[in-house]
Amino acid sequence: MMFGGAMAIFEGIAALAEDDLFVSTRNYVFEFSLTGWGWVHLILGIVIVFAGCAVLTGALWARFFGVFVAGLGALANFLWVPYYPLWALTLVAVNIFVVWALCTGMHREAGDGRAT
């Protein structure tokens, strides 16, 4: 999670700092300014890194929070695909993997507490 969050932070910084790096799209349904997308990715990346640190504590609320923000990260990067396709699809895959890993861990822990 912390790796995916750091990549999102770099994505946000790149969008805020260098407007000519990204493809300009026309007639895109979710068209925001590049600066707006930069702020979305920067803030979401910081929150994902925070959630990754919280997951390391082992708290159950942190896993739920991690699933939620990783899902938001996957959605934000899916909407970012027209601007930078390879980076966006990579982060979608990372965030989906994080959701899967957190949900699988919760399932295994729930199974450990049962009496046999």
Side-chain angles (χ1 to χ4, degrees):
M1 271 187 94
M2 293 185 291
F3 173 73
M7 287 179 63
I9 289 171
F10 292 139
E11 183 178 39
I13 291 170
L16 290 172
E18 194 67 38
D19 288 345
D20 60 347
L21 177 68
F22 299 100
V23 177
S24 69
T25 58
R26 295 182 187 166
N27 300 327
Y28 181 50
V29 175
F30 302 106
E31 185 176 348
F32 293 136
S33 69
L34 197 54
T35 305
W37 274 115
W39 282 110
V40 166
H41 288 293
L42 182 66
I43 292 169
L44 192 58
I46 292 169
V47 172
I48 290 173
V49 168
F50 169 75
C53 293
V55 165
L56 290 177
T57 65
L60 184 61
W61 67 267
R63 286 189 182 217
F64 285 114
F65 185 63
V67 168
F68 176 73
V69 295
L72 284 179
L75 179 66
N77 282 294
F78 177 74
L79 298 176
W80 178 253
V81 167
Y83 295 95
Y84 207 107
L86 185 60
W87 189 294
L89 291 175
T90 301
L91 285 178
V92 167
V94 166
N95 284 315
I96 289 174
F97 176 73
V98 165
V99 169
W100 172 81
L102 290 175
C103 290
T104 301
M106 283 188 268
H107 175 69
R108 288 183 184 162
E109 286 181 2
D112 291 342
R114 296 182 185 168
T116 54

